[in-house]
Amino acid sequence: MSEEAQNRNFLGVDFVLLSHGAESMVTKMLYKKEDNVPFHKHPNEQSGYVISGKYRIVFKTYDQVIGPGDTYNIPRDVEHRLEIIDPGEVIDIFSPPRSDYL
């Protein structure tokens, strides 16, 4: 792990803030089975890459089970949720950076 990486927790979900700049942020989410990511939205576009685990992601008309190697993109200000089926790790990129993760 990079010396710049910082362990964080937001609403009970552990994650690592890998890097951030003026226009984007990279995190590694460390999802546990008991984590719950209810419907929410934020002013940040969110793109993700599943490293491990299995998840159900829901936003707009998209409702899919995703796993290792899958990717997604959630436009800014769109309500979305994530159900953890099998725990694992996901890389999330936010643009602009999420101020509530800093």
Side-chain angles (χ1 to χ4, degrees):
M1 181 163 44
S2 167
E3 291 178 15
E4 297 175 21
Q6 301 171 26
N7 292 318
R8 297 269 199 255
N9 182 289
F10 186 77
L11 301 177
V13 177
D14 294 324
F15 69 97
V16 181
L17 175 55
L18 297 174
S19 66
H20 71 284
E23 301 297 324
S24 65
M25 164 185 284
V26 181
T27 63
K28 180 166 63 170
M29 308 307 289
L30 310 172
Y31 290 116
K32 303 174 295 298
K33 180 66 177 162
E34 62 271 15
D35 288 338
N36 179 33
V37 184
F39 273 110
H40 67 288
K41 65 180 179 175
H42 40 73
N44 321 80
E45 181 177 61
Q46 177 179 349
S47 295
Y49 174 79
V50 179
I51 298 170
S52 61
K54 185 190 282 187
Y55 313 89
R56 180 177 177 209
I57 187 168
V58 179
F59 62 95
K60 291 188 174 182
T61 61
Y62 189 86
D63 184 343
Q64 296 290 320
V65 173
I66 57 176
D70 288 333
T71 61
Y72 56 88
N73 179 270
I74 304 167
R76 63 181 66 217
D77 294 316
V78 170
E79 284 202 331
H80 57 284
R81 73 176 181 89
L82 187 73
E83 174 188 343
I84 291 77
I85 299 169
D86 292 322
E89 299 180 348
V90 174
I91 297 293
D92 272 328
I93 300 162
F94 297 95
S95 179
R98 285 187 62 159
S99 59
D100 53 354
Y101 276 17
L102 292 175

